[in-house]
mmCIF file of all heavy atoms in Angstrom:
data_model
loop_
_atom_site.group_PDB
_atom_site.id
_atom_site.type_symbol
_atom_site.label_atom_id
_atom_site.label_comp_id
_atom_site.label_asym_id
_atom_site.label_seq_id
_atom_site.Cartn_x
_atom_site.Cartn_y
_atom_site.Cartn_z
ATOM 1 N N ALA A 4 7.145 -2.715 12.323
ATOM 2 C CA ALA A 4 7.671 -2.082 11.119
ATOM 3 C C ALA A 4 6.510 -1.718 10.212
ATOM 4 O O ALA A 4 5.459 -2.355 10.242
ATOM 5 C CB ALA A 4 8.628 -3.032 10.400
ATOM 6 N N ALA A 5 6.696 -0.663 9.417
ATOM 7 C CA ALA A 5 5.654 -0.252 8.478
ATOM 8 C C ALA A 5 6.298 0.310 7.222
ATOM 9 O O ALA A 5 7.385 0.902 7.277
ATOM 10 C CB ALA A 5 4.743 0.786 9.114
ATOM 11 N N TRP A 6 5.649 0.079 6.110
ATOM 12 C CA TRP A 6 6.112 0.595 4.828
ATOM 13 C C TRP A 6 4.933 1.203 4.086
ATOM 14 O O TRP A 6 3.820 0.701 4.169
ATOM 15 C CB TRP A 6 6.691 -0.527 3.946
ATOM 16 C CG TRP A 6 7.877 -1.205 4.522
ATOM 17 C CD1 TRP A 6 9.192 -0.897 4.299
ATOM 18 C CD2 TRP A 6 7.900 -2.333 5.401
ATOM 19 N NE1 TRP A 6 10.002 -1.760 4.994
ATOM 20 C CE2 TRP A 6 9.232 -2.654 5.682
ATOM 21 C CE3 TRP A 6 6.889 -3.103 5.997
ATOM 22 C CZ2 TRP A 6 9.600 -3.704 6.505
ATOM 23 C CZ3 TRP A 6 7.249 -4.144 6.821
ATOM 24 C CH2 TRP A 6 8.595 -4.432 7.074
ATOM 25 N N ARG A 7 5.210 2.270 3.336
ATOM 26 C CA ARG A 7 4.188 2.855 2.457
ATOM 27 C C ARG A 7 4.681 2.712 1.021
ATOM 28 O O ARG A 7 5.835 2.988 0.732
ATOM 29 C CB ARG A 7 3.956 4.319 2.806
ATOM 30 C CG ARG A 7 3.065 5.027 1.790
ATOM 31 C CD ARG A 7 2.503 6.308 2.322
ATOM 32 N NE ARG A 7 1.189 6.043 2.889
ATOM 33 C CZ ARG A 7 0.651 6.750 3.873
ATOM 34 N NH1 ARG A 7 1.318 7.732 4.407
ATOM 35 N NH2 ARG A 7 -0.545 6.457 4.322
ATOM 36 N N PHE A 8 3.789 2.267 0.143
ATOM 37 C CA PHE A 8 4.139 2.034 -1.251
ATOM 38 C C PHE A 8 3.432 3.040 -2.156
ATOM 39 O O PHE A 8 2.418 3.622 -1.767
ATOM 40 C CB PHE A 8 3.765 0.595 -1.644
ATOM 41 C CG PHE A 8 4.597 -0.431 -0.924
ATOM 42 C CD1 PHE A 8 4.151 -0.983 0.268
ATOM 43 C CD2 PHE A 8 5.832 -0.818 -1.412
ATOM 44 C CE1 PHE A 8 4.928 -1.917 0.949
ATOM 45 C CE2 PHE A 8 6.609 -1.740 -0.734
ATOM 46 C CZ PHE A 8 6.159 -2.293 0.443
ATOM 47 N N PRO A 9 3.952 3.231 -3.378
ATOM 48 C CA PRO A 9 3.343 4.211 -4.295
ATOM 49 C C PRO A 9 1.943 3.810 -4.772
ATOM 50 O O PRO A 9 1.185 4.669 -5.183
ATOM 51 C CB PRO A 9 4.310 4.242 -5.485
ATOM 52 C CG PRO A 9 5.562 3.583 -5.018
ATOM 53 C CD PRO A 9 5.193 2.672 -3.896
ATOM 54 N N VAL A 10 1.637 2.526 -4.753
ATOM 55 C CA VAL A 10 0.300 2.090 -5.169
ATOM 56 C C VAL A 10 -0.294 1.200 -4.082
ATOM 57 O O VAL A 10 0.420 0.683 -3.231
ATOM 58 C CB VAL A 10 0.317 1.314 -6.513
ATOM 59 C CG1 VAL A 10 0.823 2.179 -7.648
ATOM 60 C CG2 VAL A 10 1.121 0.036 -6.404
ATOM 61 N N GLU A 11 -1.628 1.010 -4.128
ATOM 62 C CA GLU A 11 -2.285 0.156 -3.150
ATOM 63 C C GLU A 11 -1.849 -1.294 -3.331
ATOM 64 O O GLU A 11 -1.505 -1.726 -4.425
ATOM 65 C CB GLU A 11 -3.811 0.262 -3.284
ATOM 66 C CG GLU A 11 -4.350 1.545 -2.712
ATOM 67 C CD GLU A 11 -5.862 1.506 -2.519
ATOM 68 O OE1 GLU A 11 -6.439 0.400 -2.484
ATOM 69 O OE2 GLU A 11 -6.450 2.586 -2.411
ATOM 70 N N ILE A 12 -1.888 -2.034 -2.231
ATOM 71 C CA ILE A 12 -1.493 -3.439 -2.236
ATOM 72 C C ILE A 12 -2.733 -4.304 -2.435
ATOM 73 O O ILE A 12 -3.751 -4.105 -1.783
ATOM 74 C CB ILE A 12 -0.787 -3.804 -0.911
ATOM 75 C CG1 ILE A 12 0.454 -2.927 -0.699
ATOM 76 C CG2 ILE A 12 -0.420 -5.288 -0.897
ATOM 77 C CD1 ILE A 12 1.486 -2.973 -1.799
ATOM 78 N N ASP A 13 -2.615 -5.269 -3.336
ATOM 79 C CA ASP A 13 -3.701 -6.215 -3.596
ATOM 80 C C ASP A 13 -3.487 -7.441 -2.706
ATOM 81 O O ASP A 13 -2.589 -8.243 -2.948
ATOM 82 C CB ASP A 13 -3.695 -6.602 -5.079
ATOM 83 C CG ASP A 13 -4.809 -7.584 -5.412
ATOM 84 O OD1 ASP A 13 -5.836 -7.582 -4.709
ATOM 85 O OD2 ASP A 13 -4.649 -8.349 -6.381
ATOM 86 N N VAL A 14 -4.310 -7.549 -1.665
ATOM 87 C CA VAL A 14 -4.135 -8.625 -0.688
ATOM 88 C C VAL A 14 -4.294 -9.999 -1.343
ATOM 89 O O VAL A 14 -3.561 -10.935 -1.030
ATOM 90 C CB VAL A 14 -5.141 -8.469 0.481
ATOM 91 C CG1 VAL A 14 -4.964 -9.589 1.493
ATOM 92 C CG2 VAL A 14 -4.953 -7.121 1.152
ATOM 93 N N ALA A 15 -5.230 -10.108 -2.297
ATOM 94 C CA ALA A 15 -5.506 -11.398 -2.935
ATOM 95 C C ALA A 15 -4.285 -11.971 -3.659
ATOM 96 O O ALA A 15 -4.106 -13.179 -3.726
ATOM 97 C CB ALA A 15 -6.678 -11.264 -3.905
ATOM 98 N N SER A 16 -3.417 -11.089 -4.186
ATOM 99 C CA SER A 16 -2.249 -11.580 -4.917
ATOM 100 C C SER A 16 -0.962 -11.414 -4.111
ATOM 101 O O SER A 16 0.132 -11.402 -4.660
ATOM 102 C CB SER A 16 -2.133 -10.874 -6.269
ATOM 103 O OG SER A 16 -1.902 -9.494 -6.079
ATOM 104 N N SER A 17 -1.102 -11.293 -2.792
ATOM 105 C CA SER A 17 0.063 -11.143 -1.923
ATOM 106 C C SER A 17 0.275 -12.407 -1.095
ATOM 107 O O SER A 17 -0.662 -13.169 -0.878
ATOM 108 C CB SER A 17 -0.129 -9.949 -0.970
ATOM 109 O OG SER A 17 -0.237 -8.751 -1.703
ATOM 110 N N SER A 18 1.516 -12.615 -0.656
ATOM 111 C CA SER A 18 1.806 -13.771 0.180
ATOM 112 C C SER A 18 2.945 -13.442 1.137
ATOM 113 O O SER A 18 3.692 -12.491 0.937
ATOM 114 C CB SER A 18 2.183 -14.981 -0.689
ATOM 115 O OG SER A 18 3.385 -14.707 -1.396
ATOM 116 N N ALA A 19 3.035 -14.256 2.183
ATOM 117 C CA ALA A 19 4.095 -14.078 3.173
ATOM 118 C C ALA A 19 4.605 -15.440 3.586
ATOM 119 O O ALA A 19 3.835 -16.387 3.709
ATOM 120 C CB ALA A 19 3.555 -13.332 4.392
ATOM 121 N N LYS A 20 5.927 -15.558 3.770
ATOM 122 C CA LYS A 20 6.465 -16.806 4.299
ATOM 123 C C LYS A 20 7.598 -16.506 5.263
ATOM 124 O O LYS A 20 8.278 -15.488 5.157
ATOM 125 C CB LYS A 20 6.884 -17.759 3.187
ATOM 126 C CG LYS A 20 8.073 -17.334 2.376
ATOM 127 C CD LYS A 20 8.413 -18.385 1.320
ATOM 128 C CE LYS A 20 9.721 -18.010 0.644
ATOM 129 N NZ LYS A 20 10.009 -18.730 -0.556
ATOM 130 N N LEU A 21 7.745 -17.404 6.224
ATOM 131 C CA LEU A 21 8.759 -17.243 7.264
ATOM 132 C C LEU A 21 9.692 -18.438 7.204
ATOM 133 O O LEU A 21 9.255 -19.575 7.360
ATOM 134 C CB LEU A 21 8.083 -17.141 8.640
ATOM 135 C CG LEU A 21 8.988 -16.958 9.857
ATOM 136 C CD1 LEU A 21 9.783 -15.665 9.772
ATOM 137 C CD2 LEU A 21 8.160 -16.965 11.130
ATOM 138 N N GLU A 22 10.966 -18.180 6.911
ATOM 139 C CA GLU A 22 11.962 -19.247 6.826
ATOM 140 C C GLU A 22 13.257 -18.801 7.490
ATOM 141 O O GLU A 22 13.769 -17.726 7.166
ATOM 142 C CB GLU A 22 12.258 -19.572 5.349
ATOM 143 C CG GLU A 22 11.304 -20.560 4.714
ATOM 144 C CD GLU A 22 11.694 -20.847 3.264
ATOM 145 O OE1 GLU A 22 12.291 -19.988 2.598
ATOM 146 O OE2 GLU A 22 11.391 -21.958 2.815
ATOM 147 N N ASN A 23 13.758 -19.614 8.389
ATOM 148 C CA ASN A 23 15.037 -19.350 9.044
ATOM 149 C C ASN A 23 15.132 -17.947 9.639
ATOM 150 O O ASN A 23 16.146 -17.275 9.518
ATOM 151 C CB ASN A 23 16.195 -19.571 8.065
ATOM 152 C CG ASN A 23 16.166 -20.959 7.462
ATOM 153 O OD1 ASN A 23 15.853 -21.937 8.136
ATOM 154 N ND2 ASN A 23 16.471 -21.063 6.184
ATOM 155 N N GLY A 24 14.041 -17.495 10.269
ATOM 156 C CA GLY A 24 14.061 -16.187 10.923
ATOM 157 C C GLY A 24 13.916 -15.010 9.991
ATOM 158 O O GLY A 24 14.097 -13.867 10.406
ATOM 159 N N VAL A 25 13.593 -15.254 8.714
ATOM 160 C CA VAL A 25 13.411 -14.162 7.758
ATOM 161 C C VAL A 25 11.992 -14.204 7.210
ATOM 162 O O VAL A 25 11.557 -15.211 6.662
ATOM 163 C CB VAL A 25 14.427 -14.243 6.594
ATOM 164 C CG1 VAL A 25 14.194 -13.101 5.608
ATOM 165 C CG2 VAL A 25 15.855 -14.207 7.115
ATOM 166 N N LEU A 26 11.268 -13.106 7.398
ATOM 167 C CA LEU A 26 9.919 -12.982 6.863
ATOM 168 C C LEU A 26 10.029 -12.360 5.475
ATOM 169 O O LEU A 26 10.610 -11.286 5.311
ATOM 170 C CB LEU A 26 9.079 -12.082 7.778
ATOM 171 C CG LEU A 26 7.635 -11.827 7.341
ATOM 172 C CD1 LEU A 26 6.815 -13.116 7.409
ATOM 173 C CD2 LEU A 26 7.006 -10.746 8.194
ATOM 174 N N THR A 27 9.503 -13.049 4.469
ATOM 175 C CA THR A 27 9.527 -12.553 3.099
ATOM 176 C C THR A 27 8.102 -12.265 2.646
ATOM 177 O O THR A 27 7.244 -13.146 2.692
ATOM 178 C CB THR A 27 10.174 -13.581 2.148
ATOM 179 O OG1 THR A 27 11.496 -13.876 2.617
ATOM 180 C CG2 THR A 27 10.259 -13.037 0.730
ATOM 181 N N LEU A 28 7.872 -11.034 2.244
ATOM 182 C CA LEU A 28 6.550 -10.633 1.761
ATOM 183 C C LEU A 28 6.607 -10.394 0.261
ATOM 184 O O LEU A 28 7.508 -9.718 -0.233
ATOM 185 C CB LEU A 28 6.093 -9.342 2.448
ATOM 186 C CG LEU A 28 5.952 -9.348 3.959
ATOM 187 C CD1 LEU A 28 5.528 -7.982 4.456
ATOM 188 C CD2 LEU A 28 4.976 -10.401 4.411
ATOM 189 N N SER A 29 5.645 -10.973 -0.440
ATOM 190 C CA SER A 29 5.460 -10.683 -1.853
ATOM 191 C C SER A 29 4.122 -9.961 -1.951
ATOM 192 O O SER A 29 3.073 -10.541 -1.664
ATOM 193 C CB SER A 29 5.440 -11.980 -2.663
ATOM 194 O OG SER A 29 5.165 -11.681 -4.020
ATOM 195 N N LEU A 30 4.175 -8.687 -2.294
ATOM 196 C CA LEU A 30 3.001 -7.830 -2.221
ATOM 197 C C LEU A 30 2.534 -7.442 -3.617
ATOM 198 O O LEU A 30 3.232 -6.743 -4.350
ATOM 199 C CB LEU A 30 3.332 -6.562 -1.419
ATOM 200 C CG LEU A 30 3.859 -6.831 -0.002
ATOM 201 C CD1 LEU A 30 4.500 -5.577 0.578
ATOM 202 C CD2 LEU A 30 2.746 -7.338 0.892
ATOM 203 N N GLY A 31 1.358 -7.937 -3.989
ATOM 204 C CA GLY A 31 0.816 -7.635 -5.309
ATOM 205 C C GLY A 31 0.376 -6.188 -5.411
ATOM 206 O O GLY A 31 -0.167 -5.624 -4.467
ATOM 207 N N LYS A 32 0.627 -5.593 -6.575
ATOM 208 C CA LYS A 32 0.185 -4.213 -6.810
ATOM 209 C C LYS A 32 -1.249 -4.226 -7.309
ATOM 210 O O LYS A 32 -1.603 -5.007 -8.192
ATOM 211 C CB LYS A 32 1.062 -3.553 -7.874
ATOM 212 C CG LYS A 32 2.513 -3.398 -7.467
ATOM 213 C CD LYS A 32 3.308 -2.749 -8.582
ATOM 214 C CE LYS A 32 4.779 -2.641 -8.238
ATOM 215 N NZ LYS A 32 5.571 -2.062 -9.322
ATOM 216 N N LYS A 33 -2.070 -3.374 -6.718
ATOM 217 C CA LYS A 33 -3.459 -3.270 -7.163
ATOM 218 C C LYS A 33 -3.488 -2.474 -8.471
ATOM 219 O O LYS A 33 -2.947 -1.382 -8.546
ATOM 220 C CB LYS A 33 -4.307 -2.594 -6.094
ATOM 221 C CG LYS A 33 -5.799 -2.708 -6.359
ATOM 222 C CD LYS A 33 -6.605 -2.264 -5.149
ATOM 223 C CE LYS A 33 -6.962 -3.440 -4.278
ATOM 224 N NZ LYS A 33 -7.903 -3.102 -3.203
ATOM 225 N N VAL A 34 -4.103 -3.060 -9.478
ATOM 226 C CA VAL A 34 -4.191 -2.388 -10.771
ATOM 227 C C VAL A 34 -5.345 -1.391 -10.718
ATOM 228 O O VAL A 34 -6.471 -1.765 -10.391
ATOM 229 C CB VAL A 34 -4.427 -3.421 -11.903
ATOM 230 C CG1 VAL A 34 -4.533 -2.724 -13.242
ATOM 231 C CG2 VAL A 34 -3.320 -4.457 -11.915
ATOM 232 N N PRO A 35 -5.058 -0.123 -11.011
ATOM 233 C CA PRO A 35 -6.137 0.861 -10.962
ATOM 234 C C PRO A 35 -7.217 0.525 -11.992
ATOM 235 O O PRO A 35 -6.911 0.169 -13.119
ATOM 236 C CB PRO A 35 -5.457 2.195 -11.311
ATOM 237 C CG PRO A 35 -4.016 1.901 -11.493
ATOM 238 C CD PRO A 35 -3.792 0.433 -11.421
ATOM 239 N N VAL A 36 -8.454 0.635 -11.579
ATOM 240 C CA VAL A 36 -9.570 0.338 -12.461
ATOM 241 C C VAL A 36 -10.191 1.656 -12.910
ATOM 242 O O VAL A 36 -10.437 2.534 -12.101
ATOM 243 C CB VAL A 36 -10.627 -0.520 -11.727
ATOM 244 C CG1 VAL A 36 -11.834 -0.765 -12.626
ATOM 245 C CG2 VAL A 36 -10.027 -1.830 -11.269
ATOM 246 N N SER A 37 -10.412 1.771 -14.211
ATOM 247 C CA SER A 37 -11.039 2.979 -14.733
ATOM 248 C C SER A 37 -12.520 2.977 -14.405
ATOM 249 O O SER A 37 -13.208 1.977 -14.597
ATOM 250 C CB SER A 37 -10.835 3.042 -16.249
ATOM 251 O OG SER A 37 -11.649 4.063 -16.772
ATOM 252 N N ASN A 38 -13.012 4.072 -13.864
ATOM 253 C CA ASN A 38 -14.423 4.181 -13.513
ATOM 254 C C ASN A 38 -15.220 4.965 -14.560
ATOM 255 O O ASN A 38 -16.311 5.428 -14.293
ATOM 256 C CB ASN A 38 -14.580 4.848 -12.146
ATOM 257 C CG ASN A 38 -14.101 3.943 -11.031
ATOM 258 O OD1 ASN A 38 -14.260 2.734 -11.107
ATOM 259 N ND2 ASN A 38 -13.488 4.516 -10.015
ATOM 260 N N ILE A 39 -14.641 5.128 -15.751
ATOM 261 C CA ILE A 39 -15.320 5.892 -16.784
ATOM 262 C C ILE A 39 -16.377 5.028 -17.453
ATOM 263 O O ILE A 39 -16.100 3.906 -17.885
ATOM 264 C CB ILE A 39 -14.307 6.414 -17.837
ATOM 265 C CG1 ILE A 39 -13.294 7.348 -17.162
ATOM 266 C CG2 ILE A 39 -15.025 7.113 -18.987
ATOM 267 C CD1 ILE A 39 -12.154 7.775 -18.067
ATOM 268 N N SER A 40 -17.589 5.541 -17.499
ATOM 269 C CA SER A 40 -18.670 4.846 -18.204
ATOM 270 C C SER A 40 -18.910 5.579 -19.521
ATOM 271 O O SER A 40 -18.803 6.804 -19.605
ATOM 272 C CB SER A 40 -19.954 4.873 -17.373
ATOM 273 O OG SER A 40 -19.735 4.223 -16.144
ATOM 274 N N GLN A 41 -19.258 4.807 -20.551
ATOM 275 C CA GLN A 41 -19.563 5.393 -21.852
ATOM 276 C C GLN A 41 -21.052 5.658 -21.961
ATOM 277 O O GLN A 41 -21.859 4.836 -21.567
ATOM 278 C CB GLN A 41 -19.117 4.448 -22.977
ATOM 279 C CG GLN A 41 -17.611 4.244 -23.037
ATOM 280 C CD GLN A 41 -16.835 5.513 -23.310
ATOM 281 O OE1 GLN A 41 -17.260 6.356 -24.101
ATOM 282 N NE2 GLN A 41 -15.694 5.668 -22.636
ATOM 283 N N LEU A 42 -21.376 6.833 -22.441
ATOM 284 C CA LEU A 42 -22.767 7.210 -22.643
ATOM 285 C C LEU A 42 -23.077 7.135 -24.130
ATOM 286 O O LEU A 42 -22.372 7.758 -24.941
ATOM 287 C CB LEU A 42 -23.016 8.617 -22.101
ATOM 288 C CG LEU A 42 -24.444 9.152 -22.200
ATOM 289 C CD1 LEU A 42 -25.391 8.272 -21.357
ATOM 290 C CD2 LEU A 42 -24.517 10.594 -21.745
#
């Protein structure tokens, strides 16, 4: 199975557990980081 989400997934804040034949995924959203530097 595969899913595509509107934002990137943050692996560090994601988890998965398997209970009674059901896989539950909690997928953290990656917060976009601004790359603007001030001059």
Side-chain angles (χ1 to χ4, degrees):
W6 298 267
R7 171 163 266 152
F8 293 93
V10 298
E11 284 195 19
I12 301 303
D13 180 27
V14 180
S16 64
S17 297
S18 64
K20 68 179 187 193
L21 180 62
E22 275 181 332
N23 304 321
V25 179
L26 179 67
T27 303
L28 300 179
S29 176
L30 303 165
K32 296 179 183 178
K33 192 169 266 188
V34 179
V36 177
S37 169
N38 290 325
I39 299 173
S40 299
Q41 295 298 322
L42 182 63

